Amino acid sequence: MSISSRDRRNRAGIALCCALVLLTAQATAYNATVTVLPAGDAYAGEVNLSDADTYTFWEPGVLGEKIPLQTTNVSVSGDCGENCSFSWQDRNTIAFSEGNVSIRYEAPIRQKNLQLLFEEPSSITINLPGEFDVSNPLLGRVSDGGEIAEENGTTIIHYEDTRFAEVRFYDPGQERLLLIFGSIWLTVAVVLLVPYLLMRRRQG
């Protein structure tokens, strides 16, 4: 069966469209670095993008849904130079000249629980200053996929190929309070338990 030139053109057009779709899907690469600021109530973020002209700031809601992220000190640099001009398309989306860019911003952290949400699978690195820790499971938490390392007094948590990351951290004051609370309950348990055991021993 012969294939007409029209069929060939149609198939070539479909193949070209599919190739364009694939190229578009692969055009934007996410590589994010987040550093928790010393007070622990905010972080400085940097997101590196390839072949992008817009970026939307998101954070997860109570049910994991995307909600606009409150940001400050937003700046753009890259192929367009330093401190590139950009405009706000809405309250959480910026537009800029297409190219490879780095977007820097600051955002709040609530109750030392850092949550990051991206539209595409991303490489994410979170830096915690030396005064913060995540190792105590009663106070800290690192979501699945996070690899923890220590470097020069900084806790570094790295995620690969993920849209969501969560790190709950704590300071020495919180850990001391936990130890005091635990010691009080242990003392109460001993005070209540010892007389009971003595009474059982006499009865036995």
Side-chain angles (χ1 to χ4, degrees):
M1 181 182 293
S2 62
I3 300 175
S4 67
S5 60
R6 181 176 180 180
D7 288 338
R8 291 193 184 95
R9 287 196 299 270
N10 289 339
R11 292 184 181 185
I14 292 172
L16 178 60
C17 289
C18 291
L20 289 174
V21 168
L22 289 173
L23 287 173
T24 302
Q26 297 172 356
T28 301
Y30 289 74
N31 190 321
T33 301
V34 166
T35 300
V36 174
L37 299 181
D41 59 357
Y43 69 89
E46 179 177 347
V47 181
N48 298 317
L49 307 174
S50 300
D51 300 325
D53 58 5
T54 60
Y55 183 72
T56 302
F57 299 96
W58 296 111
E59 67 175 331
V62 177
L63 301 177
E65 74 277 18
K66 293 191 295 185
I67 61 175
L69 174 66
Q70 176 187 350
T71 57
T72 58
N73 300 325
V74 177
S75 64
V76 179
S77 61
D79 290 346
C80 52
E82 292 293 330
N83 296 319
C84 305
S85 61
F86 63 90
S87 60
W88 290 92
Q89 291 188 335
D90 54 42
R91 62 175 177 161
N92 63 315
T93 300
I94 59 174
F96 42 83
S97 298
E98 183 176 357
N100 301 330
V101 300
S102 294
I103 300 172
R104 296 178 179 88
Y105 65 97
E106 293 182 8
I109 300 174
R110 298 174 183 85
Q111 299 178 341
K112 294 186 174 65
N113 191 32
L114 172 62
Q115 296 184 330
L116 303 171
L117 181 64
F118 296 92
E119 292 183 295
E120 299 293 337
S122 308
S123 173
I124 305 171
T125 300
I126 299 172
N127 299 314
L128 286 176
E131 61 266 30
F132 299 121
D133 200 356
V134 294
S135 59
N136 190 323
L138 297 177
L139 294 172
R141 179 180 183 274
V142 174
S143 59
D144 293 342
E147 298 181 358
I148 305 172
E150 298 284 338
E151 185 175 325
N152 298 324
T154 299
T155 299
I156 301 173
I157 304 165
H158 182 74
Y159 294 85
E160 196 65 47
D161 196 33
T162 186
R163 290 184 174 88
F164 174 76
E166 180 179 15
V167 173
R168 184 172 66 245
F169 56 94
Y170 58 90
D171 57 36
Q174 290 174 281
E175 192 166 29
R176 283 194 296 270
L177 286 175
L178 178 65
L179 292 174
I180 293 171
F181 183 76
S183 299
I184 292 173
W185 274 105
L186 181 61
T187 302
V188 171
V190 170
V191 169
L192 295 176
L193 187 60
V194 169
Y196 173 75
L197 292 176
L198 290 174
M199 183 179 66
R200 288 290 301 270
R201 185 175 180 182
R202 289 172 185 171
Q203 291 175 349

